[in-house]
Amino acid sequence: SAEYCITMCRHGESEWNQKNLFCGWYNANLSKKGHEEAKRAGKAIKDEGIKFDIAYTSVLKRAQDTLNHILEVSGQTKIPIVSTWRLNERHYGGLTGQNKVEAVETFGEEQVAIWRRSYDVPPPEMEPEHPFYDDILNDPIYKDGPPREKFPKTESLKLCIERSMPFFYSTVIPQLKKGKNVIIAAHGNSLRGIVKSLERMTPEQIMGLNLPTGIPFQYRLDGLFRPIGTMRFLGDEETVTKAIEEVANQTKKK
Ligand code: DG2
C-alpha cells in the first residue's frame, strides 16, 4: 500500500521562549538564536536533499519566519505557503505573558504542570483586562478567522486539537494522498496535537512529549496514515537530545 512522508518543525527559539514567558497567541519574534536554529534546520533539509511541494504554517510570525529560513536555505522559496490560525500555538489564556518560573512560585509546580501538559485542563481564561487581550483580538492576522464569537480565551491541548486536526485531515492529508511532499512549520503544542493524533497516543503518553525548537522531524506513514516507526529528527543527535531536555526543564528553577 501507499507510503507517505511528512516533515514538521517547531519554530526556532522566540524572544518569549528566551525570556521563559508563556506565549500562546502573542505574536513574538524569533530571538537571534531562533533565527540561527531555523537556518540550521534549513541546512539539515538541504543536506538531506528534501524537496517540498507545499508548506503549511500558522499566522504567527515566529512560525512563518522559521519556515522562510528553511525554504531560503534549502533553495525552495517558490513553493506555495498556506498559513492558518488553525496551526497556531494553543492559546495560553490568562497565563500569556507570565514568566514560567514565577508561575510555579505563585501557583505551585503541580498546577503549572497541569496547565502546561494535561490533555484537557485549560489555563484560566484571558480576561478583557489582560494586557494583551486587545492586541491579540484585534490583530489583522485574524481577519480570516476564528470568528469573534468563537475566538478562544484559553485552550487546552484538547481544544487546540479540535481546531487543528480538522484542517490537517481536510487539507494536509489530501496533499499527501496526491503524492505531494509537505512541511508544516508550527508550534510546540500545535505540533504535539498532530503527533498525538497521528500516533494515537493517550493523554498520559502525550504529557511526556516535548518538542525542541527549530529541529525538523519526519514521519513515514502507511496507507492509512499511521506512522511507520518513530519520528526521526533531522540534525546531529547531540543537538536533538539537548534541545528536548531544555524544554522539559523550563519550569525548574535555575
Ligand atoms: C510555547 C510552549 O509555545 O510553551 O506558548 O509558551 O512553541 O509557540 O514557543 P511555542 C508557549 P509550553 O507549553 O512548552 O510551556
Side-chain angles (χ1 to χ4, degrees):
S1 68
E3 233 189 66
Y4 308 98
C5 177
I6 186 164
T7 306
M8 295 183 251
C9 189
R10 182 182 175 191
H11 60 79
E13 181 196 72
S14 73
E15 287 177 350
W16 276 30
N17 294 143
Q18 191 172 46
K19 292 186 200 157
N20 208 14
L21 308 180
F22 287 102
C23 196
W25 283 32
Y26 179 81
N27 204 0
N29 287 306
L30 290 180
S31 68
K32 193 167 176 285
K33 181 182 164 195
H35 284 285
E36 294 309 319
E37 286 174 330
K39 288 176 196 167
R40 216 181 306 141
K43 174 115 184 357
I45 301 283
K46 187 186 178 191
D47 288 348
E48 298 230 3
I50 303 165
K51 290 287 173 196
F52 302 113
D53 299 297
I54 187 161
Y56 296 94
T57 188
S58 74
V59 296
L60 296 167
K61 58 189 167 197
R62 58 191 186 277
Q64 297 186 349
D65 288 354
T66 298
L67 177 63
N68 289 334
H69 281 310
I70 289 174
L71 297 180
E72 262 163 43
V73 173
S74 61
Q76 36 187 336
T77 53
K78 299 280 186 283
I79 65 163
I81 297 173
V82 178
S83 52
T84 171
W85 64 272
R86 289 181 181 275
L87 290 173
N88 268 19
E89 182 53 304
R90 61 92 155 243
H91 191 300
Y92 248 121
L95 295 177
T96 307
Q98 274 203 46
N99 182 281
K100 293 178 190 184
V101 173
E102 283 169 24
V104 166
E105 285 163 359
T106 309
F107 303 105
E109 187 142 8
E110 203 179 331
Q111 180 61 68
V112 173
I114 290 169
W115 285 332
R116 286 184 69 210
R117 289 296 173 267
S118 74
Y119 178 53
D120 58 3
V121 182
E125 288 189 354
M126 181 180 272
E127 304 288 345
E129 297 73 36
H130 189 282
F132 299 113
Y133 182 90
D134 290 316
D135 285 0
I136 293 173
L137 188 68
N138 299 317
D139 195 317
I141 62 178
Y142 299 115
K143 65 181 184 335
D144 299 324
R148 282 241 152 183
E149 66 280 6
K150 285 189 187 152
F151 206 92
K153 297 182 173 72
T154 185
E155 286 181 322
S156 58
L157 183 61
K158 182 169 183 277
L159 290 170
C160 176
I161 285 174
E162 285 170 8
R163 48 90 170 160
S164 63
M165 292 317 287
F167 175 83
F168 186 85
Y169 287 117
S170 70
T171 308
V172 180
I173 292 275
Q175 293 293 329
L176 296 178
K177 278 188 185 160
K178 279 195 257 175
K180 305 290 183 195
N181 199 359
V182 170
I183 180 167
I184 302 177
H187 303 264
N189 295 294
S190 58
L191 291 174
R192 288 174 71 240
I194 295 173
V195 166
K196 179 183 183 297
S197 305
L198 285 177
E199 294 209 22
R200 286 132 166 104
M201 286 176 168
T202 64
E204 288 69 36
Q205 286 171 322
I206 190 61
M207 271 183 80
L209 181 98
N210 291 306
L211 295 171
T213 54
I215 300 175
F217 58 96
Q218 283 189 328
Y219 277 106
R220 284 172 60 218
L221 304 170
D222 70 13
L224 297 170
F225 300 98
R226 291 174 307 204
I228 303 166
T230 56
M231 61 169 76
R232 183 173 75 93
F233 286 100
L234 311 182
D236 64 279
E237 203 178 312
E238 198 190 322
T239 315
V240 171
T241 313
K242 194 168 148 264
I244 292 173
E245 282 168 6
E246 268 172 27
V247 183
N249 286 332
Q250 276 168 1
T251 50
K252 300 224 176 82
K253 284 193 215 176
K254 298 204 178 95

